[in-house]
Amino acid sequence: MSLTIAQRLERLKVRVAELEWWRVRERAAIGGWTFNGAPIAVGDAWPSRDGVLNLKASFEVPSQWPLAETRLSMNVGGESLLSVTADGKTIRYGLDPYHEEFPAHGRKLAIETDSVPRLPFGEPVRAPQLNRAEVIWIDTEVHRLWLLLQQVAETVEILEDHEVAPHLLTAAEETTRSLDWPSATQDYIARVAPSRQQQRIWQLPESIHSPAALNQAERRSVTAAFERLTAELKRLQERFPPQGEVALTGHAHIDLAWLWPYAETRRKMRRTFHTALTLMEKSDDFIFNQSTAQYYAQMEADDPALFAAISEKVKAGQWETLGGMWVEPDTNMPTGESLARQALYGQRYFEQKFGVRHKICWLPDCFGFTGSMPQILKLSGIDNFFTIKVNWSETNRIPNDLFWWEGLDGSRVLTHTFNNPWHGYNGQVKPNNLLHTWQNFRDKVFHDTTLLAVGYGDGGGGVTPEFVEREVQLRDFPVLPRARWAKVHDFYDAAHATAAEKKLPVWQGEIYLELHRATLTTQSGVKRKHRQAERALITAETVAGLAHLLGGAAPKSLEPQWRVVLKNEFHDILPGSSIHEVYEDAERELGEAIDAGKAAQADGLKAVVAHLPKGAVSDAVVIVNPSLSTRPVRATLADGSTVATGDVVPPLGIAVFDKAALKPAAGLSASKTHLENAHVKATIGADGTVTSLVHKATGRESLGGRGNQLWAYPVDKPRNWDAWDVESDYAERGEEITAVDSISVVEQGPHRAAVRVVKKYRHSTITQTYVLTANSLRLDIETTLDWHDRRVFLRALTPADVRATEATFECAYGVVKRPTHTNTSWDQAKFEVPGHRFADLSEPGFGLALLNNAKYGHSARGNVLGLSLVRSPVYPDPLADEGEQTFTYALMPHAGDWHEGGVREEAEDLNQPLLATAASGVAAGALAPLATTGIAAAMSGLKPAEDGKGLVLRVYEPAGRRGDFAVTVPQGWKLGGAVNILEEPHERGPGADLRPFEIRSWKLTRG
């Protein structure tokens, strides 16, 4: 009777499944266990679930069992670090649901685990127990035939319509028919009893404890069958040669924190890294990659012996350190300087510890990529970029997977992404992973190889011994793409050779992920502290640098504090997609970094004051401007009072005033219905919104309706990824919050005036204080939320009296323009987009900007600017953003476009006000230790040089312009040549001193 391919495949799977039950020749239980020192038997529940728990036992392998065929088979009830000691040698492994068999390297085994009642993705094991602990004797002949037949069946399943399929089936069928298989009733029933089919039976008969294994004749038939099948596969490979090539890289994506706290990640690292090392001992071909300098630095502290073993494998070429960054960070929200430090500290660490400088940025799992990344990477010695997350976009996909990614400034990095529908970057060495990844490789017309990262990940674990075995067997298979272990760096070297000969496609600008848009808002508390920590450290370095230029001591490196900030930029921490415990740690750590930065600022101010010209001012206010913009005097003094005068402070300047001479700029007034100064007039309505905002220099009304409308969206319930996603239909049910509890004037001084509006929404309270200082160009909206509602999205909407087809959003080291319309599916998908300190709508001659000091989620549809204030998902943190949080945003009308109107400078002032301190016996006046001339540039950082000699000044062009630019240093100092982010000489060719969106750095040394 003729069967279909599908029917024959079904029959083959049944026959292959039979072999698995003879894979173990004999087994012996391991007894005598202790749990934290107390006895525990196999099958018993853990007496405790708190902390890291210790299980111990010992066992002697039967003398007749060959050690090479002996394995420990274990499931102790949670994820564990397994230590096996024999003959004075201890070998460690990761024990998890994907890694449960381990070799025995001696007869007398001392077994120990450090265990937690969790699964790899952080799920609690609610009732953990010592499930299985035994030593097994593997029938290696049966095992390898079973695995090979399984791979043949898997190949037929994905090649069912290919003409090779019947040939593969025939070969497999002949293999199974050739086996001399046992059939004695008692032995057979005992062998198959654990199978799913038998376990369904109402009542199984009693079975014998130790069923017979294959005899020698039966085993010889297995060996012969394996050899015949392998020979037939090779013959079929000649007739149906492999199509394409897949470069396999062993991988274990370990999220620095996600569904578990960082303390557990430290244990995951040890488990995963030990597993990878043991595989290298078994296979010279196997290559494993691991990114993230933070992990290696942590391993140095936690397990120096493991770190040393990894270092040896790096030298041997089997362990590939990768990435060049401190962590795998989010790139939508960090400042440009933070991203530069990711590369600076990452590259320096890898070079110092491993002698390796990386050429590849490895970010498989981040949620979109800022357009400044190519330039940052190039200036850090990195020419290549890898991710697979672009394939997650819901609506539109970037049309290529091997292409040049061109940044804002024109810098290019060679970019590759693969599309493995079977677990993405956590791939497996299986026919379906190989074939579909190759089939999905759209740019095979240019290049003949695609990457595939394989190994259990997100929660770590990595490659299994079976994956290594599978790769060897698959070398003989027909049709399937060739797959070999390879170094990622070698893949990119070959891709560059292709790019030198062929014109690859180009993707220009940001890589926007059409998914996970809510990560711009979720867990806004950590986002606020991260913003503050960045600014605290950048400003501390700048002030200390200015003091050094004045003659003070060389500033201390803040790298230890920077490392804390960079760690918390990880792509599941800063985006808000982790559990509650992660944010307890992150906010504490960032708070400590802020405190350290503030303390360093105070020390820097003292050093500045100590080196000011002496004079007769006894009650002086010293104001330091840490930016490259001329700033009006608007500062908070030591007593908490605000000054807002008609004076200015030069860029990177220090101004000394007699406190008595600090007079407010004229024209400030306030009432319950208005705030006004010489620049703007705001009218506040009975509903608490801004009903008018007039730009007095032009006389124009900036609003196209009521400004600062607060809207709550109580159906913020995404179909997946609660903390990550916001659905495009969230606005279908919106409730404007118009009821007002109170409106009152709370400040009415000559320097600062304020009107407070209090509103309630369901169980939450929103307190907003409209603030105008005497010299301000903007209306600040200081906001305190006392939030107690779940799955509600709160946004602020402001219609502008402006017509523009594009809105401008600040990003790292520049701006990005996005459409305000929904003409195409690409435009429609950008209903929630990232922005840093401002978003702006401008028409020729006039515009309105929305500034903030803590937020990242924006929208611009038609003439309406939107800012996302809070959302409150219930997974994976049921209490995300519960309670009180404080932040400020602002409305700023302006003449000209955003650049001409000084929007960035005001956003800079909102995020980093001028620094003020008291002094006595100094001379009034202003000085600028470091001066710049030419085209307007923005400050990135003024930091201690990494070699300990001098300073490094880093600036960038923020608006897409070009022109002359020069830096003048004080007497006794010299301006060295340009350097890159790694602080090495950098030649960038002739042309304007500063080009559109260009990042430039110079070394400053004592001359």
Side-chain angles (χ1 to χ4, degrees), residues 627-840:
S627 74
L628 274 176
S629 310
T630 300
R631 300 266 286 274
V633 172
R634 186 184 311 132
T636 301
L637 304 184
D639 61 5
S641 63
T642 298
V643 292
T645 76
D647 306 291
V648 297
V649 186
L652 293 179
I654 301 152
V656 180
F657 300 94
D658 187 328
K659 187 175 181 180
L662 288 172
K663 304 301 182 184
L668 181 62
S669 66
S671 72
K672 289 176 65 174
T673 58
H674 92 287
L675 286 164
E676 183 176 4
N677 65 12
H679 304 291
V680 295
K681 180 180 179 180
T683 304
I684 300 166
D687 63 356
T689 63
V690 184
T691 57
S692 173
L693 184 60
V694 175
H695 182 250
K696 295 174 77 171
T698 60
R700 279 197 55 169
E701 170 60 60
S702 64
L703 301 181
R706 293 172 298 113
N708 192 38
Q709 301 172 30
L710 296 179
W711 284 79
Y713 302 95
V715 192
D716 180 21
K717 299 174 182 178
R719 61 191 185 279
N720 289 307
W721 304 104
D722 196 18
W724 293 256
D725 283 351
V726 58
E727 299 283 346
S728 58
D729 73 342
Y730 77 88
E732 294 299 315
R733 182 185 166 190
E735 302 171 355
E736 187 182 358
I737 305 170
T738 56
V740 174
D741 274 19
S742 65
I743 300 179
S744 58
V745 177
V746 292
E747 292 184 60
Q748 205 163 10
H751 292 273
R752 172 182 156 115
V755 175
R756 182 162 297 156
V757 177
V758 179
K759 296 182 176 182
K760 295 277 178 59
Y761 174 76
R762 295 189 179 181
H763 308 91
S764 302
T765 302
I766 305 164
T767 302
Q768 295 199 304
T769 305
Y770 292 107
V771 176
L772 192 64
T773 56
N775 59 7
S776 183
L777 304 177
R778 65 181 196 258
L779 176 67
D780 288 354
I781 307 168
E782 296 179 353
T783 303
T784 297
L785 301 180
D786 188 15
W787 197 254
H788 301 283
D789 288 280
R790 295 293 92 197
R791 286 190 153 181
V792 176
F793 193 15
L794 180 68
R795 307 193 76 238
L797 303 181
T798 297
D801 191 14
V802 170
R803 180 167 176 79
T805 58
E806 289 182 321
T808 303
F809 303 83
E810 189 187 35
C811 63
Y813 286 143
V815 295
V816 57
K817 294 183 181 295
R818 302 187 181 102
T820 59
H821 55 73
T822 55
N823 284 357
T824 70
S825 59
W826 294 84
D827 304 330
Q828 293 163 15
K830 294 178 180 177
F831 60 86
E832 182 82 355
V833 295
H836 281 198
R837 296 174 297 186
F838 69 83
D840 182 83

Side-chain angles (χ1 to χ4, degrees), residues 332-383:
N332 281 322
M333 289 175 277
T335 62
E337 187 62 25
S338 281
L339 294 172
R341 301 298 176 97
Q342 286 280 358
L344 170 64
Y345 296 137
Q347 286 282 54
R348 283 177 59 82
Y349 181 87
F350 283 117
E351 194 158 27
Q352 290 167 359
K353 300 299 180 178
F354 300 108
V356 174
R357 181 173 290 186
H358 294 306
K359 298 186 294 181
I360 301 158
C361 178
W362 180 268
L363 298 179
D365 191 30
C366 300
F367 311 148
F369 306 95
T370 182
S372 60
M373 280 295 290
Q375 184 181 191
I376 294 169
L377 297 178
K378 291 288 285 186
L379 289 173
S380 307
I382 297 173
D383 301 317

